[in-house]
mmCIF file with all atom_site columns, all heavy atoms in Angstrom:
data_model
loop_
_atom_site.group_PDB
_atom_site.id
_atom_site.type_symbol
_atom_site.label_atom_id
_atom_site.label_alt_id
_atom_site.label_comp_id
_atom_site.label_asym_id
_atom_site.label_entity_id
_atom_site.label_seq_id
_atom_site.pdbx_PDB_ins_code
_atom_site.Cartn_x
_atom_site.Cartn_y
_atom_site.Cartn_z
_atom_site.occupancy
_atom_site.B_iso_or_equiv
_atom_site.pdbx_formal_charge
_atom_site.auth_seq_id
_atom_site.auth_comp_id
_atom_site.auth_asym_id
_atom_site.auth_atom_id
_atom_site.pdbx_PDB_model_num
ATOM 1   N N   . ALA A 1 1  ? -7.433 5.039   4.807   1.00 87.00 ? 257 ALA A N   1
ATOM 2   C CA  . ALA A 1 1  ? -7.861 5.755   6.017   1.00 87.00 ? 257 ALA A CA  1
ATOM 3   C C   . ALA A 1 1  ? -7.697 4.721   7.163   1.00 87.00 ? 257 ALA A C   1
ATOM 4   O O   . ALA A 1 1  ? -7.364 5.254   8.294   1.00 87.00 ? 257 ALA A O   1
ATOM 5   C CB  . ALA A 1 1  ? -9.290 6.132   5.869   1.00 87.00 ? 257 ALA A CB  1
ATOM 6   N N   . THR A 1 2  ? -7.880 3.493   7.025   1.00 89.00 ? 258 THR A N   1
ATOM 7   C CA  . THR A 1 2  ? -7.899 2.543   8.156   1.00 89.00 ? 258 THR A CA  1
ATOM 8   C C   . THR A 1 2  ? -6.405 2.289   8.526   1.00 89.00 ? 258 THR A C   1
ATOM 9   O O   . THR A 1 2  ? -6.054 2.309   9.768   1.00 89.00 ? 258 THR A O   1
ATOM 10  C CB  . THR A 1 2  ? -8.530 1.196   7.768   1.00 89.00 ? 258 THR A CB  1
ATOM 11  O OG1 . THR A 1 2  ? -9.906 1.506   7.429   1.00 89.00 ? 258 THR A OG1 1
ATOM 12  C CG2 . THR A 1 2  ? -8.451 0.247   8.877   1.00 89.00 ? 258 THR A CG2 1
ATOM 13  N N   . ILE A 1 3  ? -5.510 2.000   7.598   1.00 87.00 ? 259 ILE A N   1
ATOM 14  C CA  . ILE A 1 3  ? -4.150 1.697   7.985   1.00 87.00 ? 259 ILE A CA  1
ATOM 15  C C   . ILE A 1 3  ? -3.216 2.910   8.104   1.00 87.00 ? 259 ILE A C   1
ATOM 16  O O   . ILE A 1 3  ? -2.279 2.866   8.860   1.00 87.00 ? 259 ILE A O   1
ATOM 17  C CB  . ILE A 1 3  ? -3.531 0.687   6.964   1.00 87.00 ? 259 ILE A CB  1
ATOM 18  C CG1 . ILE A 1 3  ? -3.348 1.200   5.585   1.00 87.00 ? 259 ILE A CG1 1
ATOM 19  C CG2 . ILE A 1 3  ? -4.299 -0.621  7.015   1.00 87.00 ? 259 ILE A CG2 1
ATOM 20  C CD1 . ILE A 1 3  ? -2.595 0.333   4.626   1.00 87.00 ? 259 ILE A CD1 1
ATOM 21  N N   . GLY A 1 4  ? -3.658 4.105   7.537   1.00 86.00 ? 260 GLY A N   1
ATOM 22  C CA  . GLY A 1 4  ? -2.910 5.331   7.721   1.00 86.00 ? 260 GLY A CA  1
ATOM 23  C C   . GLY A 1 4  ? -1.498 5.308   7.156   1.00 86.00 ? 260 GLY A C   1
ATOM 24  O O   . GLY A 1 4  ? -0.641 6.067   7.589   1.00 86.00 ? 260 GLY A O   1
ATOM 25  N N   . ARG A 1 5  ? -1.261 4.501   6.099   1.00 86.00 ? 261 ARG A N   1
ATOM 26  C CA  . ARG A 1 5  ? 0.020  4.456   5.462   1.00 86.00 ? 261 ARG A CA  1
ATOM 27  C C   . ARG A 1 5  ? -0.135 3.706   4.246   1.00 86.00 ? 261 ARG A C   1
ATOM 28  O O   . ARG A 1 5  ? -1.149 3.176   3.806   1.00 86.00 ? 261 ARG A O   1
ATOM 29  C CB  . ARG A 1 5  ? 1.020  3.709   6.394   1.00 86.00 ? 261 ARG A CB  1
ATOM 30  C CG  . ARG A 1 5  ? 0.561  2.264   6.674   1.00 86.00 ? 261 ARG A CG  1
ATOM 31  C CD  . ARG A 1 5  ? 1.562  1.472   7.495   1.00 86.00 ? 261 ARG A CD  1
ATOM 32  N NE  . ARG A 1 5  ? 1.033  0.222   7.949   1.00 86.00 ? 261 ARG A NE  1
ATOM 33  C CZ  . ARG A 1 5  ? 0.782  -0.828  7.234   1.00 86.00 ? 261 ARG A CZ  1
ATOM 34  N NH1 . ARG A 1 5  ? 1.118  -0.798  5.968   1.00 86.00 ? 261 ARG A NH1 1
ATOM 35  N NH2 . ARG A 1 5  ? 0.218  -1.970  7.694   1.00 86.00 ? 261 ARG A NH2 1
ATOM 36  N N   . ASP A 1 6  ? 0.925  3.681   3.373   1.00 86.00 ? 262 ASP A N   1
ATOM 37  C CA  . ASP A 1 6  ? 0.894  2.813   2.139   1.00 86.00 ? 262 ASP A CA  1
ATOM 38  C C   . ASP A 1 6  ? 1.164  1.386   2.560   1.00 86.00 ? 262 ASP A C   1
ATOM 39  O O   . ASP A 1 6  ? 1.479  1.094   3.669   1.00 86.00 ? 262 ASP A O   1
ATOM 40  C CB  . ASP A 1 6  ? 1.951  3.315   1.212   1.00 86.00 ? 262 ASP A CB  1
ATOM 41  C CG  . ASP A 1 6  ? 1.707  2.936   -0.218  1.00 86.00 ? 262 ASP A CG  1
ATOM 42  O OD1 . ASP A 1 6  ? 0.569  2.408   -0.527  1.00 86.00 ? 262 ASP A OD1 1
ATOM 43  O OD2 . ASP A 1 6  ? 2.600  3.087   -1.118  1.00 86.00 ? 262 ASP A OD2 1
ATOM 44  N N   . LEU A 1 7  ? 0.896  0.464   1.584   1.00 86.00 ? 263 LEU A N   1
ATOM 45  C CA  . LEU A 1 7  ? 1.143  -0.899  1.823   1.00 86.00 ? 263 LEU A CA  1
ATOM 46  C C   . LEU A 1 7  ? 2.536  -1.329  1.991   1.00 86.00 ? 263 LEU A C   1
ATOM 47  O O   . LEU A 1 7  ? 3.330  -0.760  1.300   1.00 86.00 ? 263 LEU A O   1
ATOM 48  C CB  . LEU A 1 7  ? 0.490  -1.716  0.685   1.00 86.00 ? 263 LEU A CB  1
ATOM 49  C CG  . LEU A 1 7  ? -1.020 -1.603  0.388   1.00 86.00 ? 263 LEU A CG  1
ATOM 50  C CD1 . LEU A 1 7  ? -1.396 -2.317  -0.773  1.00 86.00 ? 263 LEU A CD1 1
ATOM 51  C CD2 . LEU A 1 7  ? -1.813 -1.962  1.602   1.00 86.00 ? 263 LEU A CD2 1
ATOM 52  N N   . SER A 1 8  ? 2.745  -2.251  2.958   1.00 87.00 ? 264 SER A N   1
ATOM 53  C CA  . SER A 1 8  ? 4.155  -2.771  3.077   1.00 87.00 ? 264 SER A CA  1
ATOM 54  C C   . SER A 1 8  ? 4.459  -3.755  1.920   1.00 87.00 ? 264 SER A C   1
ATOM 55  O O   . SER A 1 8  ? 3.603  -4.223  1.212   1.00 87.00 ? 264 SER A O   1
ATOM 56  C CB  . SER A 1 8  ? 4.300  -3.564  4.418   1.00 87.00 ? 264 SER A CB  1
ATOM 57  O OG  . SER A 1 8  ? 3.552  -4.678  4.451   1.00 87.00 ? 264 SER A OG  1
ATOM 58  N N   . LYS A 1 9  ? 5.739  -4.190  1.777   1.00 86.00 ? 265 LYS A N   1
ATOM 59  C CA  . LYS A 1 9  ? 6.109  -5.153  0.745   1.00 86.00 ? 265 LYS A CA  1
ATOM 60  C C   . LYS A 1 9  ? 5.369  -6.468  0.921   1.00 86.00 ? 265 LYS A C   1
ATOM 61  O O   . LYS A 1 9  ? 4.852  -7.022  -0.031  1.00 86.00 ? 265 LYS A O   1
ATOM 62  C CB  . LYS A 1 9  ? 7.656  -5.346  0.757   1.00 86.00 ? 265 LYS A CB  1
ATOM 63  C CG  . LYS A 1 9  ? 8.063  -6.330  -0.338  1.00 86.00 ? 265 LYS A CG  1
ATOM 64  C CD  . LYS A 1 9  ? 9.540  -6.546  -0.391  1.00 86.00 ? 265 LYS A CD  1
ATOM 65  C CE  . LYS A 1 9  ? 10.034 -7.600  -1.366  1.00 86.00 ? 265 LYS A CE  1
ATOM 66  N NZ  . LYS A 1 9  ? 9.088  -8.455  -1.973  1.00 86.00 ? 265 LYS A NZ  1
ATOM 67  N N   . SER A 1 10 ? 5.328  -6.927  2.234   1.00 88.00 ? 266 SER A N   1
ATOM 68  C CA  . SER A 1 10 ? 4.624  -8.238  2.398   1.00 88.00 ? 266 SER A CA  1
ATOM 69  C C   . SER A 1 10 ? 3.060  -8.162  2.149   1.00 88.00 ? 266 SER A C   1
ATOM 70  O O   . SER A 1 10 ? 2.588  -9.101  1.638   1.00 88.00 ? 266 SER A O   1
ATOM 71  C CB  . SER A 1 10 ? 4.811  -8.736  3.850   1.00 88.00 ? 266 SER A CB  1
ATOM 72  O OG  . SER A 1 10 ? 4.331  -7.862  4.749   1.00 88.00 ? 266 SER A OG  1
ATOM 73  N N   . GLU A 1 11 ? 2.502  -7.000  2.408   1.00 85.00 ? 267 GLU A N   1
ATOM 74  C CA  . GLU A 1 11 ? 1.060  -6.796  2.087   1.00 85.00 ? 267 GLU A CA  1
ATOM 75  C C   . GLU A 1 11 ? 0.925  -6.808  0.610   1.00 85.00 ? 267 GLU A C   1
ATOM 76  O O   . GLU A 1 11 ? -0.007 -7.418  0.044   1.00 85.00 ? 267 GLU A O   1
ATOM 77  C CB  . GLU A 1 11 ? 0.495  -5.500  2.727   1.00 85.00 ? 267 GLU A CB  1
ATOM 78  C CG  . GLU A 1 11 ? 0.432  -5.571  4.260   1.00 85.00 ? 267 GLU A CG  1
ATOM 79  C CD  . GLU A 1 11 ? 0.284  -4.296  4.830   1.00 85.00 ? 267 GLU A CD  1
ATOM 80  O OE1 . GLU A 1 11 ? 0.602  -3.134  4.243   1.00 85.00 ? 267 GLU A OE1 1
ATOM 81  O OE2 . GLU A 1 11 ? -0.278 -4.246  6.044   1.00 85.00 ? 267 GLU A OE2 1
ATOM 82  N N   . ARG A 1 12 ? 1.759  -6.107  -0.139  1.00 81.00 ? 268 ARG A N   1
ATOM 83  C CA  . ARG A 1 12 ? 1.695  -6.027  -1.644  1.00 81.00 ? 268 ARG A CA  1
ATOM 84  C C   . ARG A 1 12 ? 1.892  -7.342  -2.225  1.00 81.00 ? 268 ARG A C   1
ATOM 85  O O   . ARG A 1 12 ? 1.289  -7.793  -3.144  1.00 81.00 ? 268 ARG A O   1
ATOM 86  C CB  . ARG A 1 12 ? 2.689  -5.077  -2.181  1.00 81.00 ? 268 ARG A CB  1
ATOM 87  C CG  . ARG A 1 12 ? 2.408  -3.566  -1.814  1.00 81.00 ? 268 ARG A CG  1
ATOM 88  C CD  . ARG A 1 12 ? 3.532  -2.726  -2.380  1.00 81.00 ? 268 ARG A CD  1
ATOM 89  N NE  . ARG A 1 12 ? 3.377  -2.601  -3.834  1.00 81.00 ? 268 ARG A NE  1
ATOM 90  C CZ  . ARG A 1 12 ? 2.573  -1.725  -4.379  1.00 81.00 ? 268 ARG A CZ  1
ATOM 91  N NH1 . ARG A 1 12 ? 1.783  -0.901  -3.698  1.00 81.00 ? 268 ARG A NH1 1
ATOM 92  N NH2 . ARG A 1 12 ? 2.564  -1.697  -5.785  1.00 81.00 ? 268 ARG A NH2 1
ATOM 93  N N   . ASP A 1 13 ? 2.803  -8.300  -1.616  1.00 81.00 ? 269 ASP A N   1
ATOM 94  C CA  . ASP A 1 13 ? 3.116  -9.516  -2.130  1.00 81.00 ? 269 ASP A CA  1
ATOM 95  C C   . ASP A 1 13 ? 1.913  -10.426 -2.111  1.00 81.00 ? 269 ASP A C   1
ATOM 96  O O   . ASP A 1 13 ? 1.814  -11.392 -2.835  1.00 81.00 ? 269 ASP A O   1
ATOM 97  C CB  . ASP A 1 13 ? 4.240  -10.208 -1.372  1.00 81.00 ? 269 ASP A CB  1
ATOM 98  C CG  . ASP A 1 13 ? 5.615  -9.537  -1.676  1.00 81.00 ? 269 ASP A CG  1
ATOM 99  O OD1 . ASP A 1 13 ? 5.717  -8.745  -2.725  1.00 81.00 ? 269 ASP A OD1 1
ATOM 100 O OD2 . ASP A 1 13 ? 6.559  -9.808  -0.964  1.00 81.00 ? 269 ASP A OD2 1
ATOM 101 N N   . GLY A 1 14 ? 0.918  -10.185 -1.181  1.00 77.00 ? 270 GLY A N   1
ATOM 102 C CA  . GLY A 1 14 ? -0.199 -11.008 -1.025  1.00 77.00 ? 270 GLY A CA  1
ATOM 103 C C   . GLY A 1 14 ? -1.407 -10.592 -1.949  1.00 77.00 ? 270 GLY A C   1
ATOM 104 O O   . GLY A 1 14 ? -2.423 -11.211 -1.925  1.00 77.00 ? 270 GLY A O   1
ATOM 105 N N   . LEU A 1 15 ? -1.149 -9.559  -2.705  1.00 74.00 ? 271 LEU A N   1
ATOM 106 C CA  . LEU A 1 15 ? -2.163 -9.073  -3.708  1.00 74.00 ? 271 LEU A CA  1
ATOM 107 C C   . LEU A 1 15 ? -1.954 -9.381  -5.108  1.00 74.00 ? 271 LEU A C   1
ATOM 108 O O   . LEU A 1 15 ? -0.780 -9.611  -5.454  1.00 74.00 ? 271 LEU A O   1
ATOM 109 C CB  . LEU A 1 15 ? -2.343 -7.576  -3.485  1.00 74.00 ? 271 LEU A CB  1
ATOM 110 C CG  . LEU A 1 15 ? -2.777 -7.125  -2.054  1.00 74.00 ? 271 LEU A CG  1
ATOM 111 C CD1 . LEU A 1 15 ? -2.753 -5.595  -1.895  1.00 74.00 ? 271 LEU A CD1 1
ATOM 112 C CD2 . LEU A 1 15 ? -4.191 -7.599  -1.791  1.00 74.00 ? 271 LEU A CD2 1
ATOM 113 N N   . PRO A 1 16 ? -2.952 -9.324  -5.978  1.00 68.00 ? 272 PRO A N   1
ATOM 114 C CA  . PRO A 1 16 ? -2.677 -9.588  -7.406  1.00 68.00 ? 272 PRO A CA  1
ATOM 115 C C   . PRO A 1 16 ? -1.728 -8.566  -7.965  1.00 68.00 ? 272 PRO A C   1
ATOM 116 O O   . PRO A 1 16 ? -1.536 -7.489  -7.496  1.00 68.00 ? 272 PRO A O   1
ATOM 117 C CB  . PRO A 1 16 ? -4.109 -9.377  -8.041  1.00 68.00 ? 272 PRO A CB  1
ATOM 118 C CG  . PRO A 1 16 ? -5.001 -9.436  -6.932  1.00 68.00 ? 272 PRO A CG  1
ATOM 119 C CD  . PRO A 1 16 ? -4.362 -9.006  -5.644  1.00 68.00 ? 272 PRO A CD  1
ATOM 120 N N   . PRO A 1 17 ? -0.929 -8.945  -9.083  1.00 69.00 ? 273 PRO A N   1
ATOM 121 C CA  . PRO A 1 17 ? 0.030  -8.090  -9.665  1.00 69.00 ? 273 PRO A CA  1
ATOM 122 C C   . PRO A 1 17 ? -0.745 -6.932  -10.375 1.00 69.00 ? 273 PRO A C   1
ATOM 123 O O   . PRO A 1 17 ? -1.906 -6.934  -10.554 1.00 69.00 ? 273 PRO A O   1
ATOM 124 C CB  . PRO A 1 17 ? 0.621  -8.983  -10.611 1.00 69.00 ? 273 PRO A CB  1
ATOM 125 C CG  . PRO A 1 17 ? -0.219 -10.108 -10.882 1.00 69.00 ? 273 PRO A CG  1
ATOM 126 C CD  . PRO A 1 17 ? -1.014 -10.245 -9.688  1.00 69.00 ? 273 PRO A CD  1
ATOM 127 N N   . GLY A 1 18 ? 0.060  -5.866  -10.589 1.00 73.00 ? 274 GLY A N   1
ATOM 128 C CA  . GLY A 1 18 ? -0.497 -4.806  -11.412 1.00 73.00 ? 274 GLY A CA  1
ATOM 129 C C   . GLY A 1 18 ? -0.977 -3.500  -10.584 1.00 73.00 ? 274 GLY A C   1
ATOM 130 O O   . GLY A 1 18 ? -1.525 -2.567  -11.101 1.00 73.00 ? 274 GLY A O   1
ATOM 131 N N   . LEU A 1 19 ? -0.595 -3.502  -9.264  1.00 74.00 ? 275 LEU A N   1
ATOM 132 C CA  . LEU A 1 19 ? -0.871 -2.458  -8.448  1.00 74.00 ? 275 LEU A CA  1
ATOM 133 C C   . LEU A 1 19 ? -0.018 -1.210  -8.825  1.00 74.00 ? 275 LEU A C   1
ATOM 134 O O   . LEU A 1 19 ? 1.179  -1.383  -9.199  1.00 74.00 ? 275 LEU A O   1
ATOM 135 C CB  . LEU A 1 19 ? -0.673 -2.699  -6.940  1.00 74.00 ? 275 LEU A CB  1
ATOM 136 C CG  . LEU A 1 19 ? -1.693 -3.715  -6.284  1.00 74.00 ? 275 LEU A CG  1
ATOM 137 C CD1 . LEU A 1 19 ? -1.237 -3.943  -4.811  1.00 74.00 ? 275 LEU A CD1 1
ATOM 138 C CD2 . LEU A 1 19 ? -3.029 -3.137  -6.272  1.00 74.00 ? 275 LEU A CD2 1
ATOM 139 N N   . PRO A 1 20 ? -0.513 -0.036  -8.650  1.00 78.00 ? 276 PRO A N   1
ATOM 140 C CA  . PRO A 1 20 ? 0.380  1.158   -8.865  1.00 78.00 ? 276 PRO A CA  1
ATOM 141 C C   . PRO A 1 20 ? 1.529  1.116   -7.865  1.00 78.00 ? 276 PRO A C   1
ATOM 142 O O   . PRO A 1 20 ? 1.431  0.466   -6.778  1.00 78.00 ? 276 PRO A O   1
ATOM 143 C CB  . PRO A 1 20 ? -0.489 2.337   -8.695  1.00 78.00 ? 276 PRO A CB  1
ATOM 144 C CG  . PRO A 1 20 ? -1.786 1.874   -8.002  1.00 78.00 ? 276 PRO A CG  1
ATOM 145 C CD  . PRO A 1 20 ? -1.808 0.307   -8.242  1.00 78.00 ? 276 PRO A CD  1
ATOM 146 N N   . ALA A 1 21 ? 2.546  1.902   -8.138  1.00 79.00 ? 277 ALA A N   1
ATOM 147 C CA  . ALA A 1 21 ? 3.751  1.948   -7.132  1.00 79.00 ? 277 ALA A CA  1
ATOM 148 C C   . ALA A 1 21 ? 3.272  2.395   -5.718  1.00 79.00 ? 277 ALA A C   1
ATOM 149 O O   . ALA A 1 21 ? 3.804  1.856   -4.785  1.00 79.00 ? 277 ALA A O   1
ATOM 150 C CB  . ALA A 1 21 ? 4.739  2.937   -7.677  1.00 79.00 ? 277 ALA A CB  1
ATOM 151 N N   . ARG A 1 22 ? 2.349  3.303   -5.675  1.00 81.00 ? 278 ARG A N   1
ATOM 152 C CA  . ARG A 1 22 ? 1.712  3.741   -4.381  1.00 81.00 ? 278 ARG A CA  1
ATOM 153 C C   . ARG A 1 22 ? 0.264  3.506   -4.483  1.00 81.00 ? 278 ARG A C   1
ATOM 154 O O   . ARG A 1 22 ? -0.361 4.061   -5.339  1.00 81.00 ? 278 ARG A O   1
ATOM 155 C CB  . ARG A 1 22 ? 2.021  5.155   -4.094  1.00 81.00 ? 278 ARG A CB  1
ATOM 156 C CG  . ARG A 1 22 ? 3.453  5.496   -3.777  1.00 81.00 ? 278 ARG A CG  1
ATOM 157 C CD  . ARG A 1 22 ? 3.717  6.900   -3.261  1.00 81.00 ? 278 ARG A CD  1
ATOM 158 N NE  . ARG A 1 22 ? 3.183  7.127   -1.905  1.00 81.00 ? 278 ARG A NE  1
ATOM 159 C CZ  . ARG A 1 22 ? 3.830  6.848   -0.825  1.00 81.00 ? 278 ARG A CZ  1
ATOM 160 N NH1 . ARG A 1 22 ? 5.027  6.370   -0.880  1.00 81.00 ? 278 ARG A NH1 1
ATOM 161 N NH2 . ARG A 1 22 ? 3.256  7.069   0.367   1.00 81.00 ? 278 ARG A NH2 1
ATOM 162 N N   . VAL A 1 23 ? -0.252 2.899   -3.455  1.00 82.00 ? 279 VAL A N   1
ATOM 163 C CA  . VAL A 1 23 ? -1.697 2.697   -3.322  1.00 82.00 ? 279 VAL A CA  1
ATOM 164 C C   . VAL A 1 23 ? -2.366 3.820   -2.566  1.00 82.00 ? 279 VAL A C   1
ATOM 165 O O   . VAL A 1 23 ? -3.385 4.374   -2.883  1.00 82.00 ? 279 VAL A O   1
ATOM 166 C CB  . VAL A 1 23 ? -2.071 1.340   -2.717  1.00 82.00 ? 279 VAL A CB  1
ATOM 167 C CG1 . VAL A 1 23 ? -3.585 1.224   -2.459  1.00 82.00 ? 279 VAL A CG1 1
ATOM 168 C CG2 . VAL A 1 23 ? -1.544 0.167   -3.562  1.00 82.00 ? 279 VAL A CG2 1
ATOM 169 N N   . CYS A 1 24 ? -1.718 4.172   -1.524  1.00 83.00 ? 280 CYS A N   1
ATOM 170 C CA  . CYS A 1 24 ? -2.199 5.352   -0.555  1.00 83.00 ? 280 CYS A CA  1
ATOM 171 C C   . CYS A 1 24 ? -1.364 6.534   -0.800  1.00 83.00 ? 280 CYS A C   1
ATOM 172 O O   . CYS A 1 24 ? -0.178 6.443   -0.989  1.00 83.00 ? 280 CYS A O   1
ATOM 173 C CB  . CYS A 1 24 ? -2.117 4.856   0.904   1.00 83.00 ? 280 CYS A CB  1
ATOM 174 S SG  . CYS A 1 24 ? -3.162 3.406   1.278   1.00 83.00 ? 280 CYS A SG  1
ATOM 175 N N   . PRO A 1 25 ? -2.051 7.656   -0.839  1.00 72.00 ? 281 PRO A N   1
ATOM 176 C CA  . PRO A 1 25 ? -1.257 8.897   -0.984  1.00 72.00 ? 281 PRO A CA  1
ATOM 177 C C   . PRO A 1 25 ? -0.371 9.127   0.249   1.00 72.00 ? 281 PRO A C   1
ATOM 178 O O   . PRO A 1 25 ? -0.475 8.403   1.211   1.00 72.00 ? 281 PRO A O   1
ATOM 179 C CB  . PRO A 1 25 ? -2.331 9.981   -1.018  1.00 72.00 ? 281 PRO A CB  1
ATOM 180 C CG  . PRO A 1 25 ? -3.582 9.317   -0.419  1.00 72.00 ? 281 PRO A CG  1
ATOM 181 C CD  . PRO A 1 25 ? -3.441 7.909   -0.613  1.00 72.00 ? 281 PRO A CD  1
ATOM 182 N N   . VAL A 1 26 ? 0.474  10.131  0.153   1.00 66.00 ? 282 VAL A N   1
ATOM 183 C CA  . VAL A 1 26 ? 1.295  10.505  1.290   1.00 66.00 ? 282 VAL A CA  1
ATOM 184 C C   . VAL A 1 26 ? 0.472  10.851  2.541   1.00 66.00 ? 282 VAL A C   1
ATOM 185 O O   . VAL A 1 26 ? -0.477 11.619  2.440   1.00 66.00 ? 282 VAL A O   1
ATOM 186 C CB  . VAL A 1 26 ? 2.230  11.638  0.897   1.00 66.00 ? 282 VAL A CB  1
ATOM 187 C CG1 . VAL A 1 26 ? 3.165  12.026  1.982   1.00 66.00 ? 282 VAL A CG1 1
ATOM 188 C CG2 . VAL A 1 26 ? 3.014  11.340  -0.415  1.00 66.00 ? 282 VAL A CG2 1
ATOM 189 N N   . TRP A 1 27 ? 0.806  10.307  3.639   1.00 55.00 ? 283 TRP A N   1
ATOM 190 C CA  . TRP A 1 27 ? 0.095  10.495  4.857   1.00 55.00 ? 283 TRP A CA  1
ATOM 191 C C   . TRP A 1 27 ? 0.922  11.273  5.898   1.00 55.00 ? 283 TRP A C   1
ATOM 192 O O   . TRP A 1 27 ? 2.157  11.112  5.880   1.00 55.00 ? 283 TRP A O   1
ATOM 193 C CB  . TRP A 1 27 ? -0.217 9.105   5.497   1.00 55.00 ? 283 TRP A CB  1
ATOM 194 C CG  . TRP A 1 27 ? -1.350 8.417   4.768   1.00 55.00 ? 283 TRP A CG  1
ATOM 195 C CD1 . TRP A 1 27 ? -1.167 7.707   3.585   1.00 55.00 ? 283 TRP A CD1 1
ATOM 196 C CD2 . TRP A 1 27 ? -2.698 8.342   5.194   1.00 55.00 ? 283 TRP A CD2 1
ATOM 197 N NE1 . TRP A 1 27 ? -2.436 7.252   3.253   1.00 55.00 ? 283 TRP A NE1 1
ATOM 198 C CE2 . TRP A 1 27 ? -3.340 7.621   4.100   1.00 55.00 ? 283 TRP A CE2 1
ATOM 199 C CE3 . TRP A 1 27 ? -3.472 8.870   6.158   1.00 55.00 ? 283 TRP A CE3 1
ATOM 200 C CZ2 . TRP A 1 27 ? -4.752 7.350   4.152   1.00 55.00 ? 283 TRP A CZ2 1
ATOM 201 C CZ3 . TRP A 1 27 ? -4.808 8.617   6.190   1.00 55.00 ? 283 TRP A CZ3 1
ATOM 202 C CH2 . TRP A 1 27 ? -5.414 7.871   5.249   1.00 55.00 ? 283 TRP A CH2 1
ATOM 203 N N   . SER A 1 28 ? 0.239  12.068  6.695   1.00 50.00 ? 284 SER A N   1
ATOM 204 C CA  . SER A 1 28 ? 0.842  12.778  7.762   1.00 50.00 ? 284 SER A CA  1
ATOM 205 C C   . SER A 1 28 ? -0.150 12.807  8.900   1.00 50.00 ? 284 SER A C   1
ATOM 206 O O   . SER A 1 28 ? -1.250 13.330  8.788   1.00 50.00 ? 284 SER A O   1
ATOM 207 C CB  . SER A 1 28 ? 1.145  14.161  7.314   1.00 50.00 ? 284 SER A CB  1
ATOM 208 O OG  . SER A 1 28 ? 1.708  14.949  8.427   1.00 50.00 ? 284 SER A OG  1
#
């Protein structure tokens, strides 16, 4: 809700492994 989009590649790279392909649902 805060970022209003899914995570970018650089944001994902800073997190532990094992995240699902999409963290945030589709946004509009």
Side-chain angles (χ1 to χ4, degrees):
T258 300
I259 65 174
R261 58 176 170 75
D262 203 9
L263 299 177
S264 69
K265 180 180 179 339
S266 64
E267 290 165 337
R268 293 179 73 83
D269 289 346
L271 296 172
L275 289 176
R278 289 190 71 85
V279 173
C280 298
V282 178
W283 285 79
S284 175

